[in-house]
C-alpha cells in the first residue's frame, strides 16, 4: 500500500485528466502534429519559393549572401525536422515484465498493475509507462523520456534558430511587398492586418506572410524557453517533475548529466542528429543514492 500511495503522489498532475475520453487524449496529440507540419510546410514554401528569390534575385556566386542563406536554411530546417521525426519515432516506454524480486525503492503503477523502476511514470495520453518521464509533448504526439529527450531538446534548439532565421527573411520580404517595415508597423498588428485585408487594403498573400511572422515569433520564444528549461534541468540531473519537487538525488555532475541525455559525444548533437548509444537503460539507477522514504 505504501508504494501505491507513493505512485499516486508522483503522478498527481496526470490523474487530473483521467476523466477525459480516449478520443480527446489522442486527438490532442494528432492535432499538435498536424499543426506543426501545416505551418512548417507553409513557412518553408513562402521562404524558399518567394522570400529568398525576392531578397537575393541574383544569387549565383558561392560566396554570395543568398547562397549562404540558402545553405543556412537547409542546415537549420534539416536538423529541426530530423530531430522532430526522431523524437516522434523514438519511444521511452517501459516494456519489461514484472521482475521476480522487486527492489524496495520501485513504485507501483495502478493503471498497468505492475511495479515501475525509479523515475518512470504512467502517461494517460500514451496509456503506457514511460522511463524517466519528463512530460507529454503534444507537438510530437509522444512522451519525452529517457530515450528521446535529447531529440526533443535538439528539436527545440533548432526550431528556435530556424524561426529566428526565417523571421529575419520574412521581415525583409515584407519590405519588398509593402514598403519599409517601420512605416507600416501599425498595419502589422494582427487585428489591424485582418481588418485591412477584410476591407481589401491588404492582399491575402501579405496577410499570410504577416501570420507566418507571428508564428515565427511565438516559436522562437516558446522553443527557446523550452530549450533553456531542459538544459537547466539536465544540468542538475533532474526531470521537470523532480525540478518542481526539488528532488536532486540523480545529480552526477554537469558533464555526466549531459552524457546521460546526449551520449558520450554530446557536443555532436548540436551539429547533426547523433545516434550515439546512451550510457544507461533508463531502468537501473542503482549507482545513485536512494533517499529513504521516497
Amino acid at each position: 500500500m505504501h508504494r501505491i500511495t507513493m505512485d499516486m503522489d508522483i503522478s498527481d498532475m496526470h490523474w487530473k485528466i483521467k476523466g477525459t475520453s480516449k478520443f480527446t487524449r489522442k486527438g490532442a496529440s494528432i492535432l499538435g502534429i498536424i499543426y506543426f507540419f501545416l505551418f512548417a510546410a507553409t513557412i518553408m514554401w513562402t521562404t524558399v519559393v518567394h522570400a529568398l528569390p525576392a531578397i537575393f534575385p541574383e544569387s549565383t556566386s558561392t560566396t554570395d549572401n543568398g547562397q549562404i542563406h540558402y545553405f543556412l536554411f537547409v542546415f537549420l530546417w534539416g536538423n529541426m525536422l530530423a530531430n522532430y521525426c526522431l523524437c516522434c519515432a523514438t519511444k521511452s516506454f517501459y516494456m519489461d515484465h514484472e521482475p521476480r524480486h522487486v527492489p524496495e525503492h520501485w513504485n507501483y503503477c495502478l493503471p498497468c498493475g505492475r511495479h515501475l523502476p525509479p523515475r518512470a511514470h504512467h502517461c494517460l495520453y500514451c496509456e503506457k509507462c514511460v522511463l524517466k518521464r519528463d512530460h507529454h509533448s503534444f507537438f510530437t504526439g509522444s512522451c519525452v523520456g529517457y530515450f528521446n529527450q535529447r531529440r526533443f531538446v535538439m528539436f527545440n534548439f533548432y526550431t528556435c534558430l530556424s524561426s529566428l532565421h526565417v523571421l529575419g527573411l520574412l521581415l525583409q520580404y515584407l519590405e519588398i511587398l509593402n514598403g519599409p517595415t517601420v512605416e507600416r508597423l501599425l498595419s502589422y498588428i494582427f487585428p489591424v492586418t485582418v481588418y485591412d485585408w477584410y476591407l481589401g487594403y491588404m492582399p491575402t498573400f501579405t496577410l499570410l506572410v504577416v501570420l507566418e511572422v507571428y508564428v515565427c515569433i511565438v516559436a522562437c520564444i516558446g522553443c527557446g524557453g523550452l530549450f533553456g528549461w531542459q538544459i537547466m534541468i539536465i544540468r542538475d540531473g533532474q526531470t521537470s517533475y523532480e525540478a518542481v519537487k526539488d528532488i536532486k538525488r540523480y545529480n552526477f555532475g554537469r558533464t555526466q548529466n549531459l552524457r546521460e541525455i546526449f551520449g558520450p559525444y554530446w557536443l555532436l548533437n548540436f551539429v547533426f542528429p547523433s545516434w550515439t548509444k546512451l550510457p544507461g537503460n533508463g531502468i537501473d539507477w542503482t549507482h545513485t543514492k536512494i533517499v529513504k522514504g521516497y
Side-chain angles (χ1 to χ4, degrees):
M1 180 62 69
H2 172 66
R3 284 178 184 148
I4 294 177
T5 304
M6 175 175 54
D7 184 68
M8 290 180 68
D9 177 66
I10 289 174
S11 304
D12 56 356
M13 56 183 161
H14 313 308
W15 285 93
K16 294 178 182 178
I17 59 171
K18 69 178 180 179
T20 59
S21 67
K22 181 178 179 180
F23 175 80
T24 302
R25 297 196 297 265
K26 295 291 184 184
S29 294
I30 293 172
L31 285 176
I33 296 173
I34 293 174
Y35 174 87
F36 171 78
F37 278 110
L38 176 65
F39 277 104
T42 305
I43 291 172
M44 286 178 68
W45 172 74
T46 303
T47 306
V48 175
V49 177
H50 295 281
L52 282 170
I55 299 170
F56 307 103
E58 299 178 357
S59 300
T60 55
S61 171
T62 55
T63 59
D64 187 84
N65 285 336
Q67 297 292 332
I68 294 174
H69 280 284
Y70 273 107
F71 171 79
L72 192 58
F73 181 88
V74 171
F75 174 75
L76 294 177
W77 280 72
N79 272 282
M80 179 189 74
L81 293 174
N83 279 290
Y84 178 86
C85 293
L86 286 169
C87 184
C88 295
T90 307
K91 306 301 182 183
S92 298
F93 299 143
Y94 176 59
M95 307 301 292
D96 288 5
H97 298 291
E98 186 86 357
R100 180 175 297 179
H101 301 289
V102 180
E104 184 180 353
H105 57 274
W106 280 37
N107 300 318
Y108 187 83
C109 176
L110 286 173
C112 295
R114 64 177 176 180
H115 291 86
L116 296 178
R119 315 183 86 179
H121 302 297
H122 186 85
C123 176
L124 288 176
Y125 291 103
C126 298
E127 298 182 321
K128 288 182 176 65
C129 296
V130 181
L131 294 170
K132 197 193 171 192
R133 185 182 187 274
D134 189 85
H135 69 286
H136 184 89
S137 169
F138 291 101
F139 282 108
T140 63
S142 61
C143 264
V144 176
Y146 185 77
F147 292 107
N148 64 349
Q149 186 176 11
R150 62 173 165 178
R151 312 298 187 194
F152 179 76
V153 173
M154 298 317 303
F155 160 66
N156 280 283
F157 175 72
Y158 278 107
T159 301
C160 180
L161 293 183
S162 300
S163 301
L164 194 60
H165 178 233
V166 171
L167 177 62
L169 293 173
L170 291 180
L171 290 175
Q172 292 182 66
Y173 185 48
L174 277 176
E175 290 193 357
I176 296 174
L177 292 176
N178 260 17
T181 302
V182 176
E183 295 178 8
R184 300 277 299 178
L185 193 59
L186 181 62
S187 65
Y188 294 147
I189 299 174
F190 199 69
V192 179
T193 305
V194 175
Y195 181 73
D196 287 349
W197 168 79
Y198 179 76
L199 295 179
Y201 300 145
M202 181 172 289
T204 301
F205 182 72
T206 304
L207 173 69
L208 174 66
V209 176
V210 174
L211 174 62
E212 291 172 353
V213 166
Y214 278 96
V215 171
C216 287
I217 292 173
V218 171
C220 186
I221 296 173
C223 291
L226 279 172
F227 172 75
W229 168 254
Q230 287 289 315
I231 289 298
M232 183 176 70
I233 62 176
I234 289 170
R235 176 199 64 188
D236 296 333
Q238 297 174 310
T239 62
S240 293
Y241 173 84
E242 291 165 354
V244 171
K245 297 294 184 179
D246 198 29
I247 299 170
K248 300 179 179 179
R249 88 171 56 97
Y250 302 103
N251 191 344
F252 309 124
R254 294 185 178 180
T255 302
Q256 184 59 30
N257 290 340
L258 287 170
R259 288 175 179 167
E260 285 283 338
I261 303 299
F262 296 106
Y265 307 104
W266 57 271
L267 276 174
L268 291 178
N269 292 271
F270 289 85
V271 181
F272 58 85
S274 175
W275 280 265
T276 54
K277 188 177 166 119
L278 297 179
N281 56 14
I283 298 174
D284 300 319
W285 300 96
T286 54
H287 55 296
T288 66
K289 179 182 178 183
I290 304 299
V291 177
K292 185 176 181 181
Y294 173 69

